[in-house]
Amino acid sequence: MQTLDTFDWVAISIYFLILLGIALWVIRKKENNTEDYFLAGRNVGWFVVGASIFASNIGSEHVVGLAGAGAGDRLPMLIYEIQAWVVLILGWVFLPFYARAGVFTMPEFLEKRFDARSRWILSVFSIVAYVLTKISVTIYAGGIVVSALLGIDFWTGAIATVILTGIYTVLGGMRAVVYTETLQAVILVIGAAALTIIGLDHVGGWESMKETVTPEYLNMWRAASDPDFPWPPLLIASTITGIWYWCTDQYIVQRALTAKNIKEGRRGTIFGALLKLLPVFLFLIPGVIALTLKMRGELQWDSPDEAFPVLMSNLLPSGLRGLVAAGLLAALMSSLASVFNSCSTLFTVDIYKKLRPNTPEKKLVRTGQIATVIVVIIGIIWIPIMANISGVLYEYLQSVQSYIAPPITAVFLLGIFHKRINAQGAFVTMVVGFIVGALRIVLELVKDSLNPDSFWFLLGDMNFLSFASWFFLFCIILIVVVSYATAPPSEEKLKNLTYATISEEEKKHNKNSYNWKDILISLIIIAIVIYVMIWFNGK
């Protein structure tokens, strides 16, 4: 590992100065009301919405973890990174419903479609999920990146980055988050693209790399009998997780809700989907390049999660190395800032404001700031426990998300597409889903102490993709059975909130919010996704 030199530090310093300038500009402009603090005043254009969606998604856990998947024979995980088509579903299918409902949060939408119980359970569920996945994983990955780049110990690096990000998120709110993320998205793409191009040149091009790792290594489609990544459950589970993450999760949807109107919001999701095509080439391929160089004896690393930082420090010239280091720090900070703001939004709007409806706007903003600080502390405490669940960071993230996603995906999908689904069905599905998901995590942690012939061992040891697929089917059956066994929802709960109950006026308004260009670009994105899926076939 080469350490950073003077030119690298100059590049990193310039990045931080620009970031500081944006944060200060935003903090001076902001108003002390909840719409401004949590949704940037609902006045953001499509470019910033799309860049913010991309930057929120691509955290250091993606950079580190996806490169680790490329370097550690986990290429099927690539399927989670070519879900640009699911981002389109957010803009074309879900966003019009959220906009019509005029909501701040996803639990708030569930209250309008179902009842207050659904709102409560999703609020608590989401905050727990953020601590289990996004916060702890991002801090953990950030610690790896910062310690590898700056030569300091893991905990110092992780905590310093958390505190720095926490300061501008607490002070600037959502507006600070989306504008700093736009800068971070640009830096991250430029830096990682430079590493991919230089890396491919260094290994002698794509064909030379393919020869070293063998063509079979570059196959994302394993046999249905594969113990780790059987292709049918991989396809099903990644789609379930994708719809939960991209279309119903506060963390991502909050970015689209900041848009000026539905037209800008949809275009933002189309732009975000276009950017989402990049991670395969920006992060996964460098992992395969790192493995190629290791196999040739030109590079050394102990864990696949170290592949990206080691490759970067050894291949890139002075100055550019600093830019990519800044990009990695940007990825870490943008993800943390997003999740901090989403957590404080959920807690303040869905829990605190619900308990104390007459709280002044200024006090609600202050409550959101305090909630951010508490969530950060809990996330740091969870890191050592997280290290036990799965070896490779990216796989840990996808496995835990696979236990969280099925009940929420089932409730939102059927809630929009099936008007007979009622509040009781949604509530029972989320409660049971939450219990089953938590049980699976516990059983996975303690499975070595269980009887190998028992049902509990089978449940804890089942492939996480197969578990997620069957779990989703169970949730669908449960919500339909409970809904049909109880009274149908009232007309008031359905108006403009399901496909069967949209008024003619709303249909017309929605039709006027897009044109042929939006449709064409969306179709091109879907075609590219299909091409990438066919291309990585090991031949």
Side-chain angles (χ1 to χ4, degrees), residues 205-529:
W206 181 264
E207 290 303 319
S208 173
M209 180 179 80
K210 202 167 162 181
E211 260 176 57
T212 304
V213 297
T214 72
E216 297 78 50
Y217 186 86
L218 296 172
N219 184 10
M220 64 179 279
W221 303 106
R222 306 270 172 94
S225 57
D226 186 87
D228 297 319
F229 302 107
W231 77 263
L234 176 70
L235 197 58
I236 296 164
S238 62
T239 303
I240 295 162
T241 307
I243 292 171
W244 162 69
Y245 180 85
W246 290 105
C247 305
T248 74
D249 191 20
Q250 184 68 24
Y251 178 73
I252 293 295
V253 178
Q254 196 168 337
R255 271 108 210 96
L257 295 178
T258 62
K260 290 174 191 172
N261 52 45
I262 185 72
K263 185 178 183 179
E264 293 290 314
R266 184 182 288 111
R267 285 194 174 160
T269 63
I270 294 168
F271 180 47
L274 204 56
L275 292 173
K276 186 62 189 157
L277 296 167
L278 298 174
V280 178
F281 308 100
L282 298 183
F283 310 124
L284 185 103
I285 301 302
V288 182
I289 292 167
L291 178 68
T292 307
L293 293 174
K294 188 180 183 181
M295 289 169 82
R296 292 177 184 175
E298 295 176 40
L299 206 63
Q300 190 53 46
W301 34 265
D302 301 320
S303 153
D305 285 341
E306 293 172 13
F308 195 95
V310 170
L311 184 75
M312 187 204 82
S313 69
N314 282 281
L315 284 199
L316 293 183
S318 176
L320 190 56
R321 195 164 50 222
L323 183 72
V324 180
L328 279 171
L329 292 169
L332 165 64
M333 293 172 76
S334 66
S335 284
L336 276 178
S338 302
V339 74
F340 291 167
N341 189 261
S342 297
C343 269
S344 67
T345 307
L346 284 168
F347 178 79
T348 310
V349 176
D350 287 313
I351 295 174
Y352 191 84
K353 194 177 178 182
K354 201 90 179 113
L355 293 170
R356 299 188 174 182
N358 299 321
T359 307
E361 291 279 296
K362 210 165 184 177
K363 192 173 180 190
L364 285 175
V365 171
R366 175 72 58 211
T367 305
Q369 293 171 329
I370 296 164
T372 305
V373 175
I374 294 166
V375 166
V376 174
I377 295 164
I378 297 168
I380 292 170
I381 294 166
W382 177 254
I383 294 174
I385 303 162
M386 186 206 88
N388 292 325
I389 293 184
S390 182
V392 173
L393 183 64
Y394 195 70
E395 194 180 337
Y396 161 81
L397 184 65
Q398 302 310 344
S399 66
V400 174
Q401 288 182 344
S402 298
Y403 313 147
I404 291 165
I408 302 176
T409 303
V411 167
F412 272 87
L413 272 179
L414 288 185
I416 283 174
F417 284 104
H418 195 339
K419 68 176 188 176
R420 184 60 180 81
I421 300 301
N422 65 14
Q424 194 62 25
F427 177 68
V428 170
T429 303
M430 284 204 288
V431 171
V432 173
F434 194 30
I435 293 166
V436 172
L439 182 67
R440 164 69 198 216
I441 292 174
V442 171
L443 290 174
E444 193 172 327
L445 285 168
V446 301
K447 67 181 178 186
D448 293 338
S449 63
L450 300 172
N451 177 357
D453 299 323
S454 69
F455 168 75
W456 300 114
F457 179 83
L458 177 73
L459 199 63
D461 193 51
M462 185 192 290
N463 177 287
F464 77 94
L465 300 166
S466 301
F467 176 84
S469 305
W470 288 113
F471 185 22
F472 180 66
L473 180 63
F474 166 76
C475 291
I476 293 280
I477 293 168
L478 182 64
I479 193 170
V480 170
V481 169
V482 175
S483 293
Y484 273 92
T486 48
S490 66
E491 288 300 314
E492 182 200 343
K493 284 289 176 193
L494 298 174
K495 193 182 176 187
N496 288 325
L497 295 182
T498 73
Y499 268 103
T501 56
I502 303 173
S503 67
E504 288 305 314
E505 187 188 345
E506 285 296 341
K507 283 179 184 172
K508 193 177 173 187
H509 177 65
N510 189 45
K511 207 168 183 183
N512 292 334
S513 68
Y514 61 87
N515 59 31
W516 67 270
K517 291 177 199 162
D518 300 318
I519 296 169
L520 180 65
I521 296 168
S522 298
L523 291 172
I524 290 168
I525 291 167
I526 292 167
I528 294 170
V529 169

